[in-house]
Amino acid sequence: MKNFKKIITIALSCVFLTNAIVFGAAAASRPKTVYLGGQPFGVRFYNSGVIIIDTEDFFDGEKYVCPAKASGLEINDVITAVNGTRVKTNEDLQQILFGSGGQELEFTVERDKKQLTKRVTPVKNTVGVYLLGAWVRDSCAGIGTVTYYDDDKNVFSALGHGICDNDTSALLPLGEAEVVRSNVSGVTKSSVGSTGSLNGYFTDRVLGHLTKNTDLGVFGTTTDNFYQNYPRVEIAGLEEFSTGKAEIFSATDGTDPQRYEIEIRRLCNKSAKSNENFVIKVTDERLLQKCGGIVQGMSGSPIVKDGKLLGAVTHVFINRPDEGYGVFAQNMVSYYEE
């Protein structure tokens, strides 16, 4: 997906599925059983503001300037309002700057979960346009995999990590996000040094909306009960962890998940603050032949061992694409219920 870049900013979308960390809690309130995921989904994700992904000097006719940096704005800052006017899109910010007349503006910014106020004076470039000297992004879109559905709470969980900015890796602030059924139509294989991807398209079938974007996965409510066609499984407790043979469920073609054999190699940690709890290795020749191992879009694929949902695929090792990390499903459930 191409970024359309101007000095002021316009980077309209990104493909997600990057890294994350953090959070979790005790597992006392975890549901006994959930419906097994493995289905691909598409999401159109809109930030609660516009996130600064880069800053850049520009020439004002006499010297190079960057109003954003000069005013103390930083990469990963989320601009939510200017002079009290809500900013939701790149175009909102662009119109405010273009019409500023070079007057000082009051920016409302979120940084590290705190709200700040910054005073910024846009500067005119050599063609007479008032600019900020920053690139911003207001949305992204991509494909991932559902981990489980909890019908008791009408909640689904997916990805095993958060939706992050493709350039800065910052967790994106959730404004609104529609989740739709997606269809996998092809695969770009992973190889050493290159992460592949599931390729597909969004359908018109709306599944629901995201309500949380967290470091241990995304969560949402569903308006579609198609998950009832899939089996119910019990969530494994952390004390039940063991290495050895297991399975992942992932759709590498179409919409229905397939069962693939893997091996759980070792425990990294049981921390509820990590989405890299254990290491898995793909052993199924079908998946190795088709995907080269783990690819982008498989994040969230449920990992089942001894008939119980142990966790979800979260990351691939770029130099060993047949291996990657998994996060405990119990930690995902516990975090949502905090």
Side-chain angles (χ1 to χ4, degrees), residues 55-67:
T55 58
E56 183 174 320
D57 296 351
F58 62 91
F59 193 59
D60 69 356
E62 296 181 356
K63 59 186 180 302
Y64 282 90
V65 297
C66 182

Side-chain angles (χ1 to χ4, degrees), residues 13-18 137 164-170 172 296:
S13 61
C14 68
V15 175
F16 55 78
L17 300 173
T18 48
R137 178 170 288 138
C164 299
D165 183 79
N166 201 46
D167 291 298
T168 69
S169 296
L172 293 175
Q296 291 187 1

Side-chain angles (χ1 to χ4, degrees), residues 6-314:
K6 289 186 178 179
I7 295 220
I8 169 171
T9 80
I10 299 182
L12 293 179
S13 61
C14 68
V15 175
F16 55 78
L17 300 173
T18 48
N19 292 6
I21 12 175
V22 173
F23 302 112
S29 59
R30 65 182 173 88
K32 181 179 180 180
T33 61
V34 292
Y35 284 97
L36 189 66
Q39 305 83 11
F41 72 96
V43 61
R44 301 182 182 95
F45 187 103
Y46 298 92
N47 304 340
S48 59
V50 297
I51 185 170
I52 297 177
I53 63 171
D54 202 358
T55 58
E56 183 174 320
D57 296 351
F58 62 91
F59 193 59
D60 69 356
E62 296 181 356
K63 59 186 180 302
Y64 282 90
V65 297
C66 182
K69 288 190 290 188
S71 63
L73 292 175
E74 299 178 359
I75 293 173
N76 290 334
D77 281 352
V78 180
I79 302 168
T80 59
V82 179
N83 284 356
T85 299
R86 191 81 171 89
V87 173
K88 293 184 177 180
T89 67
N90 296 335
E91 288 76 15
D92 290 343
L93 180 59
Q94 185 179 55
Q95 289 179 8
I96 292 171
L97 293 172
F98 286 5
S100 69
Q103 298 298 308
E104 184 181 73
L105 303 173
E106 183 178 272
F107 277 56
T108 303
V109 174
E110 291 181 2
R111 181 187 299 168
D112 298 328
K113 300 183 180 179
K114 296 179 181 179
Q115 183 171 294
L116 306 175
T117 298
K118 297 291 182 180
R119 307 197 72 83
V120 186
T121 302
V123 175
K124 189 186 296 184
N125 68 359
T126 54
V127 295
V129 177
Y130 287 99
L131 303 177
L132 180 62
W135 300 10
V136 300
R137 178 170 288 138
D138 60 7
S139 62
C140 68
I143 292 175
T145 301
V146 174
T147 304
Y148 67 80
Y149 298 85
D150 178 1
D151 58 329
D152 290 335
K153 295 180 171 59
N154 188 34
V155 168
F156 68 88
S157 177
L159 297 185
H161 59 66
I163 297 175
C164 299
D165 183 79
N166 201 46
D167 291 298
T168 69
S169 296
L171 192 70
L172 293 175
L174 174 61
E176 56 185 59
E178 182 180 63
V179 176
V180 298
R181 194 81 180 263
S182 69
N183 193 309
V184 178
S185 56
V187 175
T188 301
K189 292 179 67 171
S190 285
S191 58
V192 175
S194 177
T195 303
S197 63
L198 297 180
N199 307 317
Y201 57 88
F202 293 4
T203 71
D204 294 329
R205 185 172 177 176
V206 177
L207 301 182
H209 294 82
L210 295 187
T211 56
K212 289 186 177 183
N213 180 32
T214 81
D215 292 309
L216 290 188
V218 297
F219 302 88
T221 57
T222 178
T223 55
D224 191 308
N225 63 359
F226 80 93
Y227 59 82
Q228 295 178 354
N229 297 323
Y230 298 93
R232 292 186 72 94
V233 292
E234 184 177 347
I235 293 179
L238 302 188
E239 71 281 357
E240 298 178 271
F241 174 85
S242 63
T243 58
K245 292 183 179 180
E247 301 165 316
I248 63 171
F249 290 77
S250 191
T252 57
D253 184 60
T255 59
D256 290 323
Q258 303 296 315
R259 184 195 309 254
Y260 295 106
E261 295 177 354
I262 64 168
E263 180 185 348
I264 298 176
R265 304 296 300 273
R266 67 180 184 275
L267 176 69
C268 298
N269 61 77
K270 291 188 177 182
S271 171
K273 296 183 178 181
S274 173
N275 58 17
E276 299 175 352
N277 297 131
F278 54 92
V279 173
I280 65 171
K281 180 180 176 66
V282 175
T283 57
D284 198 304
E285 285 298 327
R286 297 171 301 151
L287 189 56
L288 291 171
Q289 286 293 324
K290 187 166 190 175
C291 298
I294 301 168
V295 298
Q296 291 187 1
M298 288 174 63
S299 292
S301 297
I303 299 169
V304 175
K305 190 174 191 303
D306 300 326
K308 295 183 179 183
L309 177 60
L310 179 65
V313 178
T314 61

